[in-house]
């Protein structure tokens, strides 16, 4: 009898042991999707041997993470196109195969900028790149949460009405600037045409940063003894008429880094070539209708914007503390065919625009 009782007890113990061993197979599996955290680059020393991510631990890198980036470009012209290309090239180099771009062009229409921004917000993109001031303003109005990087924006303090701007926008906005030194642009006009009397300042009234540039350059030029008059157009529909009036009344014209002017350089060139010299705020405008410019590389500032985007997307930088970045160098360039048409020789230190 004792032997039977002992055998029965041993059998019960074995059944309980087997049940305990099999219980681990019924436990819920860890989520297969790695969870992002602020310390996404810190490896998890306690990760399971089968490499299944531990929900409580940060991912060891960002190599498996994909991002969606919306690009809102205000209008098509060489400068903005170069900035967009630089931006995409930087992200493709730094996060290869991880970024999906949604490129949208507003075709120089401010309401369309707002529509594009709203669409990006509804898609919950990871970051918005806004190329030119109207695109940046629309994106900032659409969201205070999604990171926004501007490029080809002249002065961020002007764009957002920030008094005593200190170089950092704060919140969810940062980016790069295409501002060349405006005092040097005024000096450029004086170097080429010291005996001119009148300078016409041609720009689009819808672009806040264009107004800022012509106001600033006008002060420098007036200090040099020039008489300056501002000529503003509203869009491509009236640029020809306004440009003709400005050319007829001026010895020299100055066009800032104005997107509407940049997309209408053939119109300006048709009116001014061989008659009225045009000095431009950037190389694309100068190549289309200008005599000379103090040029930056829009590709380079776009690339820098892409580098900033990579830091934000991977959690290496906080956009709210990122200062605006500026072009590292400026080059004095001239348009050889237009100089020839005007019969003028460039001052020393200028190089010809290629192509």
């Amino acid at each position: 009898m004792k032997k039977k009782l002992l055998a029965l007890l041993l059998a019960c113990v074995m059944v309980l042991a087997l049940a305990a061993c099999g219980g681990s197979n019924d436990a819920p599996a860890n989520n297969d999707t790695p969870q992002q955290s602020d310390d996404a680059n810190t490896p998890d020393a306690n990760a399971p041997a089968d490499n299944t991510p531990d929900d409580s631990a940060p991912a060891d890198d960002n190599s498996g993470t994909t991002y969606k980036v919306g690009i809102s470009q205000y209008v098509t012209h060489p400068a903005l196109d170069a900035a967009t290309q630089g931006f995409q090239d930087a992200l493709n180099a730094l996060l290869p195969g991880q970024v999906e771009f949604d490129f949208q062009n507003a075709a120089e229409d401010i309401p369309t900028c707002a529509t594009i921004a709203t669409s990006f917000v509804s898609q919950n993109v990871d970051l918005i790149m806004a190329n030119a001031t109207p695109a940046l303003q629309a994106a900032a109005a659409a969201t205070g949460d999604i990171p926004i990087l501007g490029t080809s924006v002249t002065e961020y303090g002007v764009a957002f009405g920030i008094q005593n701007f200190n170089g950092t926008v704060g919140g969810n906005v940062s980016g790069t600037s295409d501002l060349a030194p405006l005092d040097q642009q005024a000096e450029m006009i004086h170097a080429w045409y010291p005996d001119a009397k009148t300078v016409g300042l041609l720009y689009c009234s819808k672009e806040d940063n264009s107004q800022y540039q012509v106001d600033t350059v006008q002060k420098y030029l007036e200090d040099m003894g020039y008489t300056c008059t501002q000529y503003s157009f509203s869009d491509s529909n009236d640029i020809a008429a306004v440009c003709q009036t400005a050319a007829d009344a001026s010895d020299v014209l100055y066009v800032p880094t104005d997107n509407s002017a940049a997309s209408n350089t053939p119109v300006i060139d048709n009116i001014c070539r061989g008659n009225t010299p045009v000095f431009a705020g950037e190389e694309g405008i100068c190549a289309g209708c200008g005599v000379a410019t103090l040029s930056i590389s829009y590709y380079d500032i776009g690339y820098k914007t892409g580098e900033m985007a990579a830091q934000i997307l991977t959690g290496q930088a906080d956009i709210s503390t990122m200062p605006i970045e500026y072009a590292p160098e400026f080059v004095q360039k001239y348009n050889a065919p237009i100089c020839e048409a005007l019969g003028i020789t460039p001052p020393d230190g200028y190089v010809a625009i290629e192509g």
Side-chain angles (χ1 to χ4, degrees), residues 111-128:
T112 301
C113 288
T115 301
I116 292 169
T118 301
S119 172
F120 289 158
V121 173
S122 67
Q123 295 176 53
N124 195 30
V125 298
D126 296 296
L127 183 142
I128 297 172

Side-chain angles (χ1 to χ4, degrees), residues 54-92:
D54 181 351
D55 287 353
S56 65
D60 56 359
D61 60 42
N62 295 288
S63 60
T65 306
T66 58
Y67 308 97
K68 186 163 187 179
V69 173
I71 299 175
S72 176
Q73 182 169 314
Y74 178 54
V75 66
T76 297
H77 64 71
L80 299 193
D81 293 347
T84 292
Q85 188 63 59
F87 176 78
Q88 292 176 306
D89 287 353
L91 276 177
N92 285 333

Side-chain angles (χ1 to χ4, degrees), residues 74 108 110 134 137 203-208 233-235 260:
Y74 178 54
E108 201 181 344
I110 291 177
Q137 291 170 326
Y203 68 102
C204 179
S205 58
K206 293 180 180 178
E207 298 195 33
D208 294 339
F233 57 90
S234 58
D235 53 36
S260 296

